[in-house]
Structures are given as structure tokens and as C-alpha cells.
């Protein structure tokens, strides 16, 4: 039998899969902690005094020998005097981390295909814990940044591989809904991180505490089996069948070994033509779709991480502001689930980007009297912007894949994913520019992306393009296949594919 047919026999989401999925789901808050560590660990204190000239603004002193900081908390800023002319280094450290995420997602994906999903998930969690603890004991900014780069590699890789491990043993009908819980848990992780930072004001202790529990993932070796889908793809059919039989037995299914017999992996016939990445840009309609998608992915990532990192600068209480920035993601994701198949991909994406962009641009024109006397207005606009961009980030995955032809879908999504990661690298460099310039950049990119998205065709209830010719001939011809996105199986297959890509990116 085919693998998904066996999953229906053993139970698509039985008690065993629920246990395994829940354990992996609990990693999501830790991913949020590490991705956004510098929201508090890289925070500049409210009070800074140059001891040499206490009555003068510290940044106006030519050569201040010693700074004195407020007692509210410690950070890498207070540890290594990353203020005034050195203030750019905190943002640079986050960019270095995001560069590591870019490397890790690529490297771990290859290693997971070679050595297994569970193996690389466990290794990744251990490295996340190890490098996190090393960060807590670093003695210089250079050491800290170097270790954060390797922390980024392990974090980016583990997010991707753990998602695949969590979903590969789930049945077709529950895979996409179950996977949708992951970004919600990531948002809750932001809330939990703000709470932890409120109670743990020392940056070294905070870094250690959000890292050390990941060593518990070593227990996955005894609780969670290796992905039987991966074993099957490697020709290890007997091992895969044993695991599937074990899962079915634990789910209470009266099974025989014959009922979980898998067919040999089908290598498939070779394509007549091997398509390359550059084929995404050779024809006019496909080139237009790719360029708009590249800009949109870059924008979504840049604005998402930029607004999240800047949340601690808003309002009267940075802990509440960061917690709210995570909390507003939840209704954004729920709205996408409810309305994306009703209003359509194009309308939802355009509305989300324009909402996020408009909120950021309005923030830049707030009168100083309102901004200074009523911080709630500015914070509310920033949160509305975060909600809009979170929804756009969710929608762009399925919309982009539906816009690209089957022969280039993986290549095109890979290019767009790369653009998003570069957006994550750029974001920390924009935040220190100040609220006005940062929100002007975020709002402008989001607004322009929203307007350009109106140039894309609607894909809801439309045939999936198989070839470049299908894209170029749309909307008059498109694909003459009778299967459209109204077909439950097609919708389900697309959602499964794209939620896996979402794990790689929400990073």
C-alpha cells in the first residue's frame, strides 16, 4: 500500500501521534526565545550616564571612559558598552544570527535527508542548548556574535527538521490543521519570553534558562521513533513497517503486519527536460509573478521581524509591548484559516499588506503631542501593523505556490524563501535607525507590495498550472485539467506542502 493509505489504517491522528506531535509542538516557544533573544538581551537601558561628565548627554562626551546604566536590567549593551557610536553592534549581532538561520535551514535539510528526521532534530536541539549556554558565558562581543551565528544555524535547521518529523506520521486529513498550530505556538512563545524577561532581569541567566531545557530533547530517542516515511524513502521498508505497526498497535487498532505492508518507493520517471532556477525568469508572465513574490516575501520577513524586535521600544512597558506583539499573531492566523478560502488569496494578501503598511505609515505622521502623551496610540498602530504582516506572511505561502507551475514550484519557492531570509537579516539593521525612519521603511515596503499584489491573478478555485505555458496562457487558457482547488484532495495536498515550507521560514 501507499504510505498515506497505511496511515489511514493505523489511525491518522491516534493517541501515539498526538503524544509525538505535542512533544515536538512544545519546541515552538523555544524557537521563539532563540529567534528573538535580542529583543531583551540586546536592549539598551533607559538611563545612561557618563561618569566622566554626569551632567552631559553621554553621547556628546568625546571619549567617555566609563558608563553607568540604570538598574532595571542587564544586557549585552550594558555588558560591553554598546551605546552611542557602538550602538549598531546589537542589531548587527541579530543580523549575524539570521545569517546563521539562512545557512542552517539549507544544511540541516540536506543532513536530515541523509541521516533521518529524528536524529537531526535531537542534534539540533542539543546544539541550540549548547550554543545558548555558551552565549551566556561569552566574555566579549566578538565571542557572543560568533556563538550566535552557530546558534542561528542550529535554530534554523531544527525548526525545519522538527516540523517535518512532527507531520510525516500524521494522516492526510489532519496534517494541515495540526501543522497550523505551530505558528500559533510560536506567537505564544513570544508572550512567554516577555514574561520570563520580566522576572529574569540578568541577560546571562535569561539566555541560559531559555536554552538549558532543550537538553531534554535527548529523550526523543526513546519516545519518538524515526520517521517511517523517511525510512521508506530510503528503502528501509521493514523498519518503516515495524514502526507503523507499533503506532497502530498503540492506537488500539487490531492489526496484522500485512495491513501495514508498504509498496517499494517509486523513483518515478525522469523528466524530458530538467528545469533550472533561471527558467523562473525567462517568460514575461512568470517573471512578473516571481519578482512580485520575491519582493513580497522579503517584505513580510523584514517587517515581521523588524516590528517584533522593535516592540520593546514601544509604550511605557516594554514587556507588555513584546507580549502583545506575539498575542496579536493568533487572531491573524485564525482569520487566514477562516477567510482565505472565502475571500480568496489575492484579496486577503492585498488587504493584509495594505493594513500593515498603512498602520506603519500612519505611525510616522502621528503628532508629537499624541506620541509623547499617549503611547497607547503608537503601540496600537504597531500592533495592527504586526497583525497585518503576520496574516500576509501566512497567506503568501499557499498563494505563491499556486501561482508557480509544477515544473518550477520547488525552485521558485526556494528563491522566495531565500529572499525572506535576507529580509530577516536586514530587519535588525533598520530598527536602530529610529521609529520614524524604521516605520517609514516598513510601511512603504508593505504598502508597495500590497499594491503590486493586485497585479497577480486570483488562484482560488483555479486549476493549478503544470507547465510554463499554463502560466503564460492564463487566465484565458491556463490548465485544462478538470481537477481544481475545489477538489478536497488538491487543497489538502497543497496545504500539507506549504505548511512544511512555513516551518522553514518562521524564522
Amino acid at each position: 500500500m501507499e504510505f498515506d493509505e497505511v496511515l489511514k489504517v493505523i489511525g491518522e491522528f491516534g493517541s501515539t501521534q498526538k503524544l509525538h506531535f505535542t512533544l515536538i509542538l512544545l519546541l515552538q516557544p523555544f524557537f521563539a526565545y532563540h529567534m528573538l533573544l535580542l529583543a531583551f538581551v540586546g536592549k539598551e537601558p533607559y538611563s545612561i550616564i557618563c561618569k566622566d561628565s554626569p551632567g552631559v548627554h553621554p553621547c556628546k562626551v568625546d571619549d567617555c571612559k566609563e558608563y553607568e546604566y540604570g538598574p532595571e536590567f542587564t544586557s549585552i549593551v550594558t555588558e560591553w558598552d554598546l551605546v552611542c557610536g557602538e550602538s549598531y553592534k546589537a542589531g548587527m549581532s541579530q543580523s549575524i544570527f539570521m545569517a546563521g538561520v539562512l545557512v542552517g535551514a539549507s544544511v540541516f535539510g540536506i543532513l536530515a535527508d541523509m541521516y533521518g528526521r529524528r536524529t537531526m532534530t535531537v542534534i539540533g536541539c542539543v546544539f541550540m542548548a549548547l550554543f545558548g549556554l555558551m552565549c551566556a558565558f561569552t566574555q566579549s562581543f566578538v565571542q557572543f556574535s560568533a556563538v550566535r551565528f552557530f546558534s542561528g544555524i542550529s535554530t534554523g535547521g531544527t525548526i525545519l527538521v522538527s516540523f517535518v518529523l512532527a507531520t510525516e506520521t500524521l494522516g492526510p486529513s489532519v496534517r494541515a490543521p495540526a501543522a497550523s498550530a505551530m505558528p500559533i505556538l510560536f506567537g505564544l512563545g513570544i508572550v512567554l519570553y516577555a514574561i520570563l524577561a520580566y522576572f529574569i532581569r540578568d541577560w546571562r541567566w535569561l539566555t541560559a534558562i531559555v536554552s538549558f531545557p532543550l537538553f531534554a530533547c535527548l529523550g526523543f530517542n526513546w519516545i519518538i521513533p524515526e520517521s517511517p516515511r523517511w525510512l521508506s524513502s530510503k528503502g528501509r521498508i521493514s523498519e518503516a513497517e515495524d514502526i507503523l505497526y507499533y503506532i497502530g498497535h498503540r492506537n488500539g487498532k487490531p492489526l496484522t503486519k500485512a495491513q501495514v505492508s508498504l509498496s517499494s518507493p517509486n523513483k518515478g520517471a525522469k523528466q524530458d527536460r530538467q528545469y533550472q532556477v533561471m527558467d523562473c525568469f525567462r517568460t514575461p508572465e512568470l517573471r512578473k509573478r516571481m519578482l512580485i513574490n520575491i519582493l513580497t516575501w522579503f517584505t513580510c520577513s523584514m517587517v515581521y521581524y523588524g516590528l517584533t524586535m522593535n516592540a520593546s521600544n514601544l509604550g511605557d512597558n516594554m514587556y507588555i509591548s513584546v507580549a502583545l506583539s506575539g498575542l496579536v499573531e493568533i487572531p491573524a492566523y485564525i482569520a487566514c484559516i477562516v477567510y482565505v478560502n472565502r475571500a480568496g488569496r489575492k484579496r486577503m494578501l492585498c488587504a493584509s499588506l495594505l493594513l500593515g503598511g498603512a498602520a506603519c505609515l500612519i505611525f510616522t505622521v502621528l503628532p508629537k503631542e499624541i506620541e509623547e502623551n499617549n503611547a497607547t496610540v503608537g503601540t496600537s498602530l504597531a500592533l495592527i501593523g504586526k497583525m497585518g504582516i503576520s496574516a500576509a506572511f501566512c497567506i503568501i505561502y499557499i498563494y505563491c505556490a499556486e501561482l508557480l507551475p509544477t515544473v518550477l514550484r520547488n525552485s521558485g519557492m526556494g528563491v522566495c524563501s531565500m529572499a525572506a531570509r535576507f529580509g530577516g537579516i536586514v530587519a535588525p539593521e533598520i530598527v536602530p535607525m529610529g521609529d520614524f525612519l524604521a516605520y517609514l521603511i516598513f510601511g512603504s515596503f508593505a504598502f508597495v507590495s500590497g499594491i503590486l499584489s493586485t497585479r497577480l491573478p486570483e488562484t482560488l478555485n483555479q486549476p493549478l498550472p503544470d507547465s510554463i505555458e499554463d502560466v503564460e496562457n492564463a487566465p484565458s487558457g491556463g490548465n485544462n485539467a478538470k481537477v481544481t482547488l475545489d477538489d478536497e484532495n488538491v487543497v489538502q495536498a497543497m496545504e500539507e506542502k506549504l505548511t512544511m515550507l512555513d516551518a522553514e521560514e518562521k524564522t
Side-chain angles (χ1 to χ4, degrees), residues 40 88 91 108 112 124 212 239 283 306 321 339 352 380 438 459:
F40 294 109
Y88 71 93
F108 268 64
F212 185 78
E239 294 175 65
T283 55
S321 296
Y339 292 109
S352 300
S380 298
T459 59

Side-chain angles (χ1 to χ4, degrees), residues 406 409 459-466 470 477-494:
T406 302
R409 190 164 290 128
T459 59
L460 179 64
N461 298 331
Q462 297 299 314
L464 289 174
D466 286 328
D470 290 340
N479 185 344
N480 293 324
K482 294 182 180 180
V483 178
T484 72
L485 287 179
D486 278 332
D487 188 302
E488 180 182 353
N489 293 328
V490 176
V491 173
Q492 182 176 291
M494 289 299 302

Side-chain angles (χ1 to χ4, degrees), residues 9 244 269:
V9 172
L244 291 169

Side-chain angles (χ1 to χ4, degrees), residues 31 45 58 60-61 64-65 68 80 92-93 103 112-113 116 177 187 190 215 221 223 239-240 358 364 389 407 434 474:
F31 297 152
K60 293 183 179 180
V61 179
C64 184
K65 297 291 190 295
E68 182 178 334
W80 297 304
M92 182 178 71
S93 178
V103 174
D113 286 338
I190 298 175
F215 280 118
N221 284 312
I223 302 174
E239 294 175 65
T364 64
I389 208 66
V407 294

Side-chain angles (χ1 to χ4, degrees), residues 41-106:
V41 169
K43 179 68 177 173
E44 183 177 297
Y46 300 118
S47 174
I48 306 173
I49 298 173
C50 178
K51 288 187 175 182
D52 302 339
S53 305
V56 183
H57 191 282
C59 294
K60 293 183 179 180
V61 179
D62 292 334
D63 188 20
C64 184
K65 297 291 190 295
E66 185 177 357
Y67 294 96
E68 182 178 334
Y69 303 98
E72 298 90 358
F73 56 84
T74 67
S75 67
I76 62 171
V77 174
T78 65
E79 186 80 20
W80 297 304
D81 294 332
L82 306 182
V83 295
C84 301
E86 300 290 305
S87 61
Y88 71 93
K89 289 185 177 180
M92 182 178 71
S93 178
Q94 179 67 12
S95 295
I96 291 172
F97 172 84
M98 295 302 291
V101 172
L102 171 64
V103 174
S106 302

Side-chain angles (χ1 to χ4, degrees), residues 378-415:
T379 303
S380 298
L381 286 170
L383 293 176
I384 292 172
K386 178 69 181 297
M387 184 184 297
I389 208 66
S390 297
F393 216 165
C394 180
I395 297 164
I396 191 61
Y397 285 95
I398 187 168
Y399 190 30
C400 179
E402 291 173 347
L403 287 168
L404 301 178
T406 302
V407 294
L408 286 170
R409 190 164 290 128
N410 284 340
S411 299
M413 291 291 287
V415 172

